[in-house]
């Protein structure tokens, strides 16, 4: 049982994450032109900032849509497809997201008919774990914290008329460029690091006056000669303990002329501390 999508999700989601940032007190988005020194303080308050609302994390079960993921196998090898789905449906994945957005995925172990199946299953499990953990690394800066650097952080902020541009440095020789529109919506985040170049273009819903992440498009280019990747992630949110959290993901990845799509349902959601 061969897993093609596992290596695709190893880096293309996880490496697009911005570092976890603090959140300032909410302030209404400005309609008029503002001065550069006022950009950061106003922009921080535009995001939902779950950490400031008492977010403690939550637990959930993860259910991949195996028939969708293995659609090509079903066409080329129906017998192998049936055997693979039967085996994969025995696996139960469980996830946990902590108070700062850090995540962990675990799974049970099932018997396999041979070493080849065991190897393939290990790749699948690794791919699922990397996909979910990588997603939450991208999700946390937009939802738990804020994509805007905290007060006192070295950051260049410019008002360019049609939009705002933020630039700052992270440890490990990493540069981050953030573009905001006039309502302080992040329209693009670029991350330049020694190992990769990445760009993420998020989408949001505005709920109770704050931006809630609903998905993103992204490009990822490794600097070690690996294949470039493009992906699209759609998020369906659900209110848990009064806060929006992901209830399902729809992920499409393009690389080397191939297109892969997979979806994950998050069920049995339970807030931590309950």
């Amino acid at each position: 049982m061969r897993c093609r999508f596992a290596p695709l999700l190893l880096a293309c989601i996880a490496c697009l994450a911005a570092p976890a940032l603090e959140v300032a007190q909410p302030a209404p988005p400005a309609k008029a032109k503002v001065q550069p020194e006022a950009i950061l303080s106003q922009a921080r308050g535009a995001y939902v900032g779950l950490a400031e609302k008492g977010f403690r994390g939550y637990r959930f079960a993860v259910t991949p849509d195996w028939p969708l993921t293995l659609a090509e196998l079903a066409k080329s090898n129906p017998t192998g497809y049936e055997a693979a789905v039967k085996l994969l449906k025995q696996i139960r994945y469980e996830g946990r997201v902590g108070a700062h957005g850090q995540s962990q995925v675990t799974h049970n172990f099932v018997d396999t008919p041979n070493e080849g199946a065991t190897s393939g299953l290990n790749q699948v499990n690794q791919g699922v774990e990397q996909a979910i953990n990588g997603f939450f690394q991208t999700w946390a800066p937009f939802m738990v914290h804020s994509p805007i650097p905290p007060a006192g952080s070295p950051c260049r902020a410019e008002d360019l008329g049609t939009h705002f541009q933020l630039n700052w440095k992270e440890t490990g020789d990493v540069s981050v460029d953030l573009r905001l529109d006039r309502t302080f919506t992040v329209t693009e985040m670029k991350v330049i690091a020694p190992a990769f170049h990445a760009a993420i273009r998020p989408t949001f819903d505005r709920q109770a006056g704050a931006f809630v992440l609903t998905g993103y498009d992204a490009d990822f280019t490794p600097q070690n000669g690996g294949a470039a990747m493009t992906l699209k992630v759609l998020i369906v949110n659900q209110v848990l303990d009064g806060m929006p959290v992901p209830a399902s993901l729809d992920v499409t990845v393009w690389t080397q002329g191939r297109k892969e799509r997979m979806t994950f349902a998050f069920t049995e959601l339970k807030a931590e501390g309950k």
Side-chain angles (χ1 to χ4, degrees), residues 36 44 56 94 106 109 120 158 163-164 175 191 212 215 243 256 273:
R44 290 187 198 102
R56 297 181 181 179
E94 295 182 348
T106 59
F109 293 90
E158 297 179 277
H163 64 280
F164 305 110
S175 299
V191 181
V212 174
M243 304 181 197
Q256 295 182 319

Side-chain angles (χ1 to χ4, degrees), residues 63-111:
T63 305
D65 185 341
W66 296 122
L68 174 63
T69 302
L70 302 177
E72 291 301 317
L73 179 62
K75 297 176 184 177
S76 62
N77 183 357
T79 301
Y81 164 80
E82 293 294 341
V85 170
K86 181 178 179 180
L87 186 62
L88 291 168
K89 284 188 174 181
Q90 297 178 51
I91 305 173
R92 176 178 170 84
Y93 298 99
E94 295 182 348
R96 176 185 178 275
V97 176
H100 299 289
Q102 72 278 22
S103 64
Q104 181 181 18
V105 178
T106 59
H107 62 85
N108 63 324
F109 293 90
V110 300
D111 294 330

Side-chain angles (χ1 to χ4, degrees), residues 11 24 30 44 65 93 102 126 132 142 151-152 167 176 222 256 262 273:
R44 290 187 198 102
D65 185 341
Y93 298 99
Q102 72 278 22
Q126 184 182 35
I132 301 304
F142 291 104
N167 313 94
V176 181
Q256 295 182 319
M262 59 225 73

Side-chain angles (χ1 to χ4, degrees), residues 141-201:
F142 291 104
M143 291 295 294
V144 180
H145 310 286
S146 168
I148 314 302
S153 299
C155 177
R156 180 183 180 184
E158 297 179 277
D159 184 347
L160 299 180
T162 59
H163 64 280
F164 305 110
Q165 193 74 35
L166 310 185
N167 313 94
W168 70 92
K169 295 282 188 179
E170 296 290 344
T171 57
D173 195 23
V174 176
S175 299
V176 181
D177 294 337
L178 203 65
R179 181 178 177 129
L180 315 175
D181 69 13
R182 300 303 300 182
T183 66
F184 302 110
T185 306
V186 174
T187 57
E188 184 174 59
M189 175 187 286
K190 292 184 177 179
V191 181
I192 307 298
F196 67 91
H197 293 175
I200 177 171
R201 295 167 292 278

